Amino acid sequence: MDGHAAGEPAPRSLRRRGRGQPRMNAFTGAFWRSGDPGFADAATARVFNRRLPSRRPAAVLRAADVADVAEGVRLAAAEGWRVAVRSGGHSWAAWSLREDTLLIDLALFTGMSYDPTDATVTVGPAVRGGLDLDPYLAGHGRFFPVGHSPSVGMGGFLLQGGIGWNCRGWGWAAESLVSMEVVTAAGEVVRCSETENADLFWAARGSGPGFFGVVTAFRLRTRPRFRELTRSAYVFPSELAAEVLSWYHVARHDLPASVELAAVGCTPPGSDAPVLTVDAVSFDGGPASLAALDSCPVVARASARTVAEPVDFAELQAEQLRGNPENHRYAADNAFLSGSASELVPALVPAFTELPTPRTFTVLGDFTPLVARRPPDMAVSLQTDLYFAAYAIGTTPADDVLSRAWLDRTMSRLEPHSAGCYLGDSDLAVRADRIMSDAAWSTFRRIRAARDPEGRFPGYLGDPAQ
Ligand SMILES: Cc1cc2nc3c(=O)[nH]c(=O)nc-3n(C[C@H](O)[C@H](O)[C@H](O)COP(=O)(O)OP(=O)(O)OC[C@H]3O[C@@H](n4cnc5c(N)ncnc54)[C@H](O)[C@@H]3O)c2cc1C
């Protein structure tokens, strides 16, 4: 696999320096210490969330190849730094920015290679799921359930488990991992899979920013590309939120596994009144797979509706890009919920009807088929059949204050019903929560202690509430 982005300039080659002393080793990629010209951009320019923290690394290595990554891990050990990693730069909490670290930026790891003999694709961690991998696989008639917003990097997405398209029916994206190439905390390059370094493979499927290695390539099982997408969406005024959410809590179980299903709270452009949309996309299930949505008792009061219409994947992705604009300030939180409608709905309604900024949105996704099927044993281990996520989006520091206060209120109402959270939408430094089952957490700690005894990788930012 080619590890470089097609069309990108070759990275600047710098001889790296010790503390004031030139060394003989060289990186093929580019290297900056704090204070070097270009350091500030190298550290932060690729972070999606513009609500940047004040944390900064001690140095940045834009690695050109696996040898650079291994050499970077060894340099960090020699300098007494820990190692932070960036693939796509899309973690809401900017996890790649950690103090006293060498930040290994994998921006140049954008290779993709499809193997028709076993329908697997090998991707570099900075490949963007929707923008790069999806069109590449479409050319082979194949599909991978990439993250909803097309610019999300495959690296962080897969390591956290990955809630990709129709996660409800197809499961966590990490379930489709076949093997990985990993640079370990000792600076060795190893492969891991179910049968090779299986402990690393187990941990890499869900430990996210707590992972203690650098993944330089992922081999993924692809699936046949869908033939048709069918969509139903019902838009309700916010005063119907309690009735709609109560119905949704039951009706979601009646939709087949081919349907991705969510209730979404947002404020339409040009309006100041939030609406609640029940949105369902069927992958090859056709109109019949969406029939259960007509059973909503207030369906006649929907202010707009789309019933079983064909939709393009490109259109769905464009909506995601509009909903998650660049150059904005984000705060996200989430919970896997369980409870009856009478317990949950009163806690959920304000999360859909009182949004702090015009662009903020909330999602209540259904995972019924995934949970019923029981995912394999791996670090991601906490799912319930109901996933709530809130994305507060603003443009100013004053918006941050509003967003945070709203998230705090929202999550404190839901906490009594929460089994834990999904790392991908979490910021443990702000709100600690459980991230794995108790059994998985103790397995994870055992593997981490064996694989990274010196704590070369910094682990979670904020302690999980395990
Ligand atoms: C607009 C937007 C939409 C999103 N939509 C979805 C969605 O639909 N589904 C979903 O599940 N998530 C979604 N997310 C969350 C996203 O999956 C996570 O934030 C994920 O971490 C992003 O991966 P990244 O490589 O782009 O991020 P990065 O910030 O580069 O990585 C996050 C952290 O993961 C670890 N990491 C990343 N790559 C590696 C590697 N190669 N080796 C070792 N450690 C690594 C590091 O600790 C790193 O700091 C979305 C995020 C955004 C901003």
Side-chain angles (χ1 to χ4, degrees):
M1 185 180 63
D2 176 7
H4 295 269
E8 287 204 18
R12 192 162 53 106
S13 180
L14 285 189
R15 191 161 294 275
R16 67 175 164 79
R17 296 161 291 149
R19 295 181 198 284
Q21 285 196 323
R23 292 190 183 191
M24 295 311 291
N25 321 43
F27 291 118
T28 308
F31 178 79
W32 298 262
R33 279 176 190 266
S34 173
D36 284 351
F39 170 82
D41 261 12
T44 62
R46 288 207 318 117
V47 175
F48 175 84
N49 187 353
R50 296 327 285 171
R51 186 175 58 82
L52 284 173
S54 57
R55 305 181 303 269
R56 293 293 179 272
V60 180
L61 167 62
R62 181 156 300 162
D65 51 29
V66 180
D68 267 3
V69 175
E71 184 58 16
V73 172
R74 288 191 287 268
L75 171 69
E79 296 276 354
W81 296 328
R82 293 181 299 169
V83 174
V85 185
R86 177 177 301 150
S87 288
H90 271 54
S91 78
W92 302 111
W95 278 317
S96 54
L97 291 172
R98 303 291 294 265
E99 297 287 349
D100 300 321
T101 54
L102 171 65
L103 165 58
I104 300 185
D105 188 324
L106 301 168
L108 300 174
F109 286 63
T110 53
M112 297 182 282
S113 166
Y114 179 68
D115 182 348
T117 61
D118 61 1
T120 60
V121 66
T122 302
V123 299
V127 164
R128 298 164 304 174
L131 292 176
D132 304 324
L133 180 58
D134 186 66
Y136 176 72
L137 286 179
H140 295 278
R142 306 297 295 180
F143 185 69
F144 186 82
V146 295
H148 293 81
S149 198
S151 55
V152 172
M154 292 301 286
F157 171 74
L158 289 166
L159 285 168
Q160 285 157 15
I163 300 180
W165 288 96
N166 197 23
C167 183
R168 176 178 187 268
W170 295 330
W172 293 99
E175 291 184 53
S176 298
L177 271 164
V178 178
S179 63
M180 284 168 252
E181 180 182 71
V182 179
V183 177
T184 66
E188 291 165 355
V189 184
V190 301
R191 238 169 59 100
C192 69
S193 67
E194 291 281 8
T195 53
E196 222 177 332
N197 294 300
D199 57 335
L200 275 183
F201 189 65
W202 181 94
R205 290 178 301 160
S207 63
F211 188 59
F212 32 81
V214 185
V215 183
T216 46
F218 297 89
R219 186 157 152 247
L220 309 168
R221 232 181 332 270
T222 64
R223 50 188 311 116
R225 197 163 185 85
F226 47 81
R227 292 179 307 282
E228 57 168 27
L229 298 177
T230 314
R231 180 185 218 175
S232 286
Y234 298 81
V235 183
F236 295 97
S238 62
E239 60 267 24
L240 295 177
E243 280 143 294
V244 174
L245 289 172
S246 299
W247 160 80
Y248 178 87
H249 190 272
V250 179
R252 63 200 170 95
H253 300 304
D254 296 334
L255 281 112
S258 55
V259 176
E260 161 149 341
L261 177 66
V264 180
C266 71
T267 310
S271 160
D272 56 7
V275 295
L276 172 60
T277 303
V278 175
D279 194 0
V281 176
S282 177
F283 290 77
D284 286 335
S289 64
L290 299 168
L293 295 173
D294 288 336
S295 67
C296 179
V298 290
V299 70
R301 294 167 68 190
S303 56
R305 74 187 70 186
T306 300
V307 181
E309 299 273 343
V311 64
D312 284 341
F313 194 55
E315 201 176 317
L316 295 176
Q317 291 195 305
E319 274 176 23
Q320 293 288 331
L321 285 174
R322 284 195 296 275
N324 297 280
E326 288 184 355
N327 295 316
H328 279 63
R329 306 169 72 94
Y330 289 78
D333 211 333
N334 70 97
F336 279 109
L337 301 173
S338 51
S340 64
S342 60
E343 289 163 339
L344 288 176
V345 170
L348 281 167
V349 165
F352 287 83
T353 57
E354 298 163 14
L355 306 178
T357 66
R359 282 190 170 276
T360 293
F361 66 97
T362 48
V363 177
L364 188 65
D366 177 59
F367 277 19
T368 300
L370 180 149
V371 172
R373 188 176 47 78
R374 290 211 185 154
D377 181 25
M378 54 186 180
V380 64
S381 50
L382 230 171
Q383 60 279 335
T384 66
D385 62 10
L386 204 52
Y387 179 64
F388 170 80
Y391 308 93
I393 309 177
T395 52
T396 64
D399 288 342
D400 298 347
V401 177
L402 285 178
S403 295
R404 190 64 253 160
W406 173 78
L407 277 174
D408 289 346
R409 287 196 301 278
T410 301
M411 298 314 296
S412 71
R413 280 190 290 261
L414 292 172
E415 252 163 22
H417 314 289
S418 168
C421 68
Y422 169 49
L423 275 168
D425 289 328
S426 302
D427 184 348
L428 300 173
V430 176
R431 192 183 70 83
D433 204 347
R434 298 179 73 223
I435 58 169
M436 295 179 199
S437 69
D438 290 343
W441 179 246
S442 90
T443 304
F444 168 74
R445 283 166 51 100
R446 179 173 49 73
I447 299 171
R448 182 175 60 182
R451 288 285 184 172
D452 186 12
E454 292 173 6
R456 184 63 48 219
F457 287 80
Y460 297 106
L461 182 67
D463 288 327
Q466 292 294 146

